[in-house]
Amino acid sequence: MPAKIISGREVSCQIREELKIRAARLKEKGVVPGLGVVLVGEDAASISYVTAKAKAAEEIGIFETTINMPPASSEEEILRTVDGLNRDGRYNGVLVQLPLPKYVSADKVINFISPEKDVDGFHPINVGKLLRGEPCPLPCTPYGVVQLLVRGGYSPEGKHVVVCGRSNIVGKPLAALLIQKKKGANATVTICHTGTPDITRFTLQADILVAAMGVPRIIKAEMVRAGCVVIDVGVNRVPDAASPKGFRLVGDCDFEAIKEKAEAITPVPGGVGPMTVTMLMMNTIEAAERKAGLTP
Ligand code: GUN
C-alpha cells in the first residue's frame, strides 16, 4: 500500500487557526504581536521565504515589517538595524533571513538579536537552554518536524529516529529536541553526517527517518526500511525547462520510490516547508504572550 502523505499544509492550517485565536486573545488585552524581519540582498529563495512569512503573519493577525537592505550593506549597518528592532517595543520577534552576504559574520549578527526576541531560536543562549531542556524559543524547522510527527499520528516517543544532517539549523537542534524526557519527544536518536562511512546501515534501522542533508534525492528507497516514517526537510531547486520558473523544488528523498515502501512520508513542497513558517508564527505569539504575562 502506498505511504500516507503527511501534509504540512493541513497541519499548518490547523495550527494557524489556533494561533489566530491566541492573537485575538492578545489583542483583547491591548497587545498586537509583532515580528520584524531583516532581508539583506535579493536572493530569490530568501525573498520567497520572507514573503511567505509576511503572508502568514498577516493571516494570523501579527504585525509584520520586513526591512529590505541593499546587497552591499555593511555588517555595521545590519547590526544597527537589528539594534533598532531589539529596542522597538512593537516587535516581539526579530529575525534576520539567512544566508547573509559572505563578508558579514552571521554569528555576530545572530548573537546581536535579543535572546527574548530570537524567534528563530538561533541565539547561543537559546541553543544552550534547548540543550538543557529549559523553556526557550524552539528552532522553527525542528519544532515543525516534531509537530508534524505528533499531529500526524506518529509520535516519536520510544522510537528510533535517524537524522541525516548535522546543521545548526536542523540536525543538531532536532536531535536535542527529540532526546528530551518530555511528551512528544523521548526518542532514541542517531545522527548521520558526511563523516558517517555507511549511512544505509543506520537508515535501515530507523522507525522515523529525517532527511536534512540539502542534496536532491540522496535518500533512495533501498536506504529505507519498509514501514518507516520519512520526513523530508530538503528544499532543493533543480532545473526544469517545463516549469515557467525554470526550476522545481525537490526534497532530499526519492519520493516516488520511497512512497511505495514507507508507512508515511512528507511531500516537497507542502511538507516541512509550511511548518517552518507556521512555527515562526507560534514563537512570535509565544513571545508576545510571555511579555503580556499570559502563560503560553
Ligand atoms: N534561511 C533558511 N532557513 C532559515 C530560517 O529558518 N531562519 C532564518 N533566519 N533564515 C533562514
Side-chain angles (χ1 to χ4, degrees):
M1 211 171 46
K4 179 186 158 192
I5 307 299
I6 308 175
S7 166
R9 291 204 180 105
E10 275 175 36
V11 177
S12 266
C13 266
Q14 186 192 343
I15 298 174
R16 288 184 194 190
E17 288 307 314
E18 295 166 13
L19 294 178
K20 281 181 199 170
I21 295 167
R22 287 165 67 175
R25 192 165 61 116
L26 277 163
K27 274 179 205 157
E28 278 167 20
K29 293 207 161 250
V31 178
V32 178
L35 172 65
V37 175
V38 180
L39 173 64
V40 184
E42 286 149 8
D43 175 70
S46 292
I47 291 172
S48 139
Y49 290 135
V50 166
T51 306
K53 289 167 187 177
K55 200 165 153 243
E58 190 188 350
E59 178 196 331
I60 290 164
I62 294 171
F63 164 68
E64 193 270 354
T65 305
T66 299
I67 299 178
N68 291 285
M69 300 187 68
S73 306
S74 69
E75 190 173 275
E76 200 191 321
E77 284 166 331
I78 298 170
L79 293 176
R80 224 180 299 130
T81 303
V82 171
D83 188 45
L85 292 170
N86 281 344
R87 290 169 189 275
D88 191 329
R90 290 175 299 168
Y91 301 106
N92 307 99
V94 174
L95 174 149
V96 178
Q97 187 65 28
L98 303 175
L100 286 168
K102 283 188 188 62
Y103 55 85
V104 175
S105 162
D107 283 346
K108 201 166 169 187
V109 172
I110 288 167
N111 295 359
F112 206 68
I113 297 172
S114 291
E116 313 78 58
K117 293 194 177 188
D118 167 38
V119 278
D120 259 330
F122 292 167
H123 192 286
I125 287 189
N126 292 321
V127 175
K129 285 185 175 177
L130 172 63
L131 264 186
R132 293 168 58 116
E134 293 172 20
C136 62
L138 301 175
C140 304
T141 301
Y143 195 6
V145 167
V146 172
Q147 288 291 315
L148 258 187
L149 286 168
V150 171
R151 293 180 186 240
Y154 300 102
S155 169
E157 285 173 54
K159 302 291 191 224
H160 181 199
V161 184
V162 176
V163 179
C164 295
R166 56 176 157 186
S167 69
N168 287 333
I169 293 183
V170 184
K172 283 191 241 173
L174 178 59
L177 203 51
L178 287 169
I179 57 170
Q180 296 194 351
K181 198 171 181 176
K182 286 182 183 164
K183 209 164 173 291
N186 224 11
T188 303
V189 177
T190 299
I191 302 192
C192 297
H193 46 73
T194 46
T196 307
D198 180 8
I199 284 186
T200 305
R201 178 156 81 89
F202 298 99
T203 59
L204 285 176
Q205 296 175 43
D207 298 313
I208 297 170
L209 177 61
V210 181
M213 295 140 111
V215 182
R217 295 203 202 90
I218 192 171
I219 302 287
K220 308 291 183 199
E222 308 82 75
M223 300 168 75
V224 177
R225 189 176 64 76
C228 184
V229 173
V230 180
I231 305 291
D232 192 347
V233 180
V235 185
N236 308 291
R237 289 181 171 207
V238 295
D240 182 359
S243 157
K245 290 180 180 165
F247 69 87
R248 75 196 146 89
L249 295 181
V250 299
D252 288 0
C253 294
D254 183 356
F255 179 86
E256 290 302 327
I258 293 173
K259 84 172 187 329
E260 300 305 323
K261 199 171 178 187
E263 162 75 24
I265 186 167
T266 60
V268 177
V272 174
M275 292 299 293
T276 299
V277 177
T278 299
M279 301 329 287
L280 175 69
M281 302 301 129
M282 174 92 93
N283 283 343
T284 305
I285 295 278
E286 284 182 2
E289 286 173 342
R290 251 194 315 278
K291 195 170 164 222
L294 295 170
T295 34

